[in-house]
Amino acid sequence: MKLNEAVSQRLTELLAEKNMTQYQLFLKSGVPKSTIGNVVNCAYDSVKLRVLHELCQGLAIGLDEFFASPLFREENLEP
């Protein structure tokens, strides 16, 4: 799996866990709705760490919790 796909899946998981919509995340994080949609839809090859940090703030989690997922294990990611 590509890294952007793992980020997309993780963000989708967290939104579901927190019962949040992309719009609600936009309101809490300040990250533009279009950017959130592009991350979820894998429109970007990579996502800036600053954007991930702002999304995590909107989700009320740390970056460590975002990346604490089997999705980000090295054996699951393409080089």
Side-chain angles (χ1 to χ4, degrees):
M1 164 183 313
K2 293 181 181 177
L3 184 57
N4 65 334
E5 294 169 336
V7 169
S8 169
Q9 282 189 27
R10 182 63 173 149
L11 181 56
T12 301
E13 285 175 1
L14 289 165
L15 285 170
E17 279 177 25
K18 300 203 175 266
N19 201 24
M20 285 178 79
T21 65
Q22 290 181 26
Y23 182 73
Q24 289 169 320
L25 182 56
F26 150 69
L27 292 175
K28 290 187 178 211
S29 69
V31 175
K33 292 178 291 186
S34 60
T35 300
I36 295 170
N38 285 336
V39 170
V40 168
N41 294 319
C42 297
Y44 300 135
D45 287 332
S46 63
V47 180
K48 290 184 178 184
L49 189 56
R50 177 189 55 78
V51 171
L52 281 179
H53 182 251
E54 291 171 359
L55 291 172
C56 287
Q57 287 178 322
L59 291 163
I61 64 169
L63 284 166
D64 57 334
E65 187 175 342
F66 185 88
F67 287 109
S69 166
L71 292 168
F72 298 105
R73 289 191 186 137
E74 197 60 36
E75 64 268 15
N76 295 332
L77 296 172
E78 292 179 11

